[in-house]
Amino acid sequence: MNTNTGVNQPVLILAIETSCDETSVAVVKDGREVLSNVISSQIETHRAFGGVVPEVASRKHVEVITVIIEEALAQAGVEPQELTAVAVTQGPGLVGALLVGVVAAKSLALAWGKPLIGTHHIAGHIYANRLVKELEYPCMTLVVSGGHTELVNMPREGEFVIIGRTRDDAVGEAYDKVARALGFPYPGGPHVDRLAREAAEAVPLPRVWLEPDSYDFSFSGLKSAVLNVVNQSKMKGLTPDVAGIARGFQESVVEVLVEKAVRAVRACRARQLLLSGGVAANKGLREALTARCALENIELIIPPPVYCTDNAAMIGAAAYVKWLHDGGTPLDMVADPGLSLEKWSVADGGGAARE
């Protein structure tokens, strides 16, 4: 555990996030107070390609990273010498994009004489919830993003145990593929969410539960079912009921996510349920999970949308936990697109007291 942090000495972390198509830099105080959170999105650039192009994403990160760092420091009113450490997303993500952030963070850490904290991207999404409310352990997290769909049990601070994950497409991938089939541009999730909420009724679509005791997910079959409905309509010379299909798809996804999350909370005796990841901004999912948790008397935490999508404030929140328990990361740290969340867990299992 890091023991260099006095009780009255604030921990100021400059955090960098470049795992995919957002360049973001934030300054976070004591893992909870966001002093700045600057985000430069590349959505308009990648929309023309129908998805993220890794080489283009990396180049865009290089173009703006220096300006974003300067802006984050200026907005926070913090000088480099006041910082405690520099944090950066080490993985997972696109390797070229990760490298831009890692190189920038290493350069700043060396130039400013500050420790470096390599941070897990999904841990960041999870600890974005701590920017809203203090976490109580054990807690359960439903991670829903473009590349990840997981149920993560957290017995203690900084310890992650994955009890369920997708066996094929992640939720965000399924949304984008279904949106494309319905004729919507990238990113497709918001279009499907909006249409689903406007539709008068849903086109019936299957729920994929897998084995009775499984917490895993599968969305490829549901995606195929959507494509089948669209193709059958076209073969009959009919216009597909786009809104009804969107509602049927979203209801199927949400029902499975909510049911398995609630069951996992009960099985692990979690004190809280956290919703994490970019798809946590989905209004249909937020409303359904809120209603079910109220019915089940489960405390639910959902970050505001700005902390659901990729941002550096969440990286600063997770890095704070790592700093308290493990200290900094060696400067020979490398970007790791396959970085394991469970292996990133803090060394002492989160059980040590803060100092």
Side-chain angles (χ1 to χ4, degrees):
M1 182 184 74
N2 174 56
T3 57
N4 297 322
T5 305
V7 172
N8 298 319
Q9 183 67 36
V11 175
L12 294 175
I13 296 177
L14 181 131
I16 298 173
E17 155 62 24
T18 62
S19 66
C20 191
D21 60 342
E22 274 88 24
T23 311
S24 182
V25 181
V27 178
V28 180
K29 178 181 176 181
D30 293 335
R32 288 206 63 184
E33 184 179 349
V34 181
L35 304 185
S36 65
N37 187 36
V38 183
I39 304 170
S40 176
S41 176
Q42 302 176 13
I43 286 178
E44 292 303 320
T45 298
H46 296 285
R47 180 170 284 140
F49 304 103
V52 177
V53 180
E55 294 82 359
V56 174
S58 301
R59 184 165 66 247
K60 290 294 182 181
H61 288 312
V62 172
E63 291 173 359
V64 302
I65 186 68
T66 302
V67 174
I68 301 299
I69 291 169
E70 292 173 351
E71 188 175 344
L73 285 170
Q75 286 189 15
V78 171
E79 296 295 328
Q81 61 268 25
E82 298 177 81
L83 295 170
T84 305
V86 177
V88 64
T89 302
Q90 182 182 2
L94 303 174
V95 65
L98 290 168
L99 279 169
V100 176
V102 168
V103 169
K106 285 185 177 183
S107 300
L108 295 178
L110 282 169
W112 296 340
K114 302 296 180 180
L116 177 71
I117 309 172
T119 308
H120 196 285
H121 180 75
I122 299 302
H125 276 304
I126 291 171
Y127 272 96
N129 287 276
R130 193 168 181 265
L131 299 174
V132 176
K133 186 176 182 181
E134 193 61 61
L135 305 188
E136 298 179 18
Y137 303 94
C139 58
M140 180 66 59
T141 299
L142 173 60
V143 178
V144 281
S145 72
H148 298 265
T149 302
E150 296 162 342
L151 279 167
V152 183
N153 184 32
M154 298 175 64
R156 290 169 290 277
E157 181 177 77
E159 183 176 0
F160 309 94
V161 181
I162 298 175
I163 65 170
R165 66 181 82 216
T166 182
R167 297 182 183 179
D168 38 63
D169 289 343
V171 172
E173 292 172 322
Y175 265 94
D176 284 337
K177 290 175 181 178
V178 166
R180 191 177 303 119
L182 298 180
F184 293 106
Y186 171 86
H191 296 287
V192 175
D193 185 25
R194 174 182 55 81
L195 271 181
R197 293 159 57 79
E198 294 174 355
E201 58 183 32
V203 171
L205 289 168
R207 275 68 168 153
V208 182
W209 297 105
L210 302 175
E211 302 83 7
D213 60 346
S214 175
Y215 293 110
D216 284 353
F217 303 94
S218 174
F219 299 105
S220 64
L222 176 59
K223 175 197 65 181
S224 298
V226 169
L227 292 173
N228 188 46
V229 171
V230 171
N231 291 334
Q232 283 188 352
S233 295
K234 291 180 178 179
M235 289 172 63
K236 295 176 181 178
L238 304 174
T239 301
D241 179 6
V242 174
I245 294 170
R247 180 172 171 178
F249 168 77
Q250 179 148 297
E251 286 183 355
S252 177
V253 169
V254 168
E255 183 179 339
V256 173
L257 290 174
V258 170
E259 183 63 34
K260 293 205 173 193
V262 168
R263 184 154 53 86
V265 167
R266 296 303 186 205
C268 297
R269 298 185 178 182
R271 302 179 68 179
Q272 295 171 326
L273 174 61
L274 320 179
L275 184 60
S276 307
V279 183
N282 180 285
K283 292 180 180 178
L285 176 58
R286 293 167 80 96
E287 290 176 0
L289 201 56
T290 298
R292 181 64 182 277
C293 285
L295 187 65
E296 299 281 347
N297 197 28
I298 295 172
E299 183 179 4
L300 174 67
I301 305 177
I302 307 176
V306 67
Y307 297 141
C308 292
T309 53
D310 292 351
N311 68 93
M314 70 181 196
I315 300 303
Y320 174 77
V321 174
K322 193 72 167 176
W323 170 253
L324 284 184
H325 294 279
D326 294 350
T329 305
L331 280 172
D332 62 358
M333 176 198 82
V334 296
D336 184 355
L339 186 63
S340 165
L341 176 62
E342 291 171 309
K343 290 182 180 178
W344 191 83
S345 295
V346 298
D348 62 19
R354 297 176 186 171
E355 297 185 15

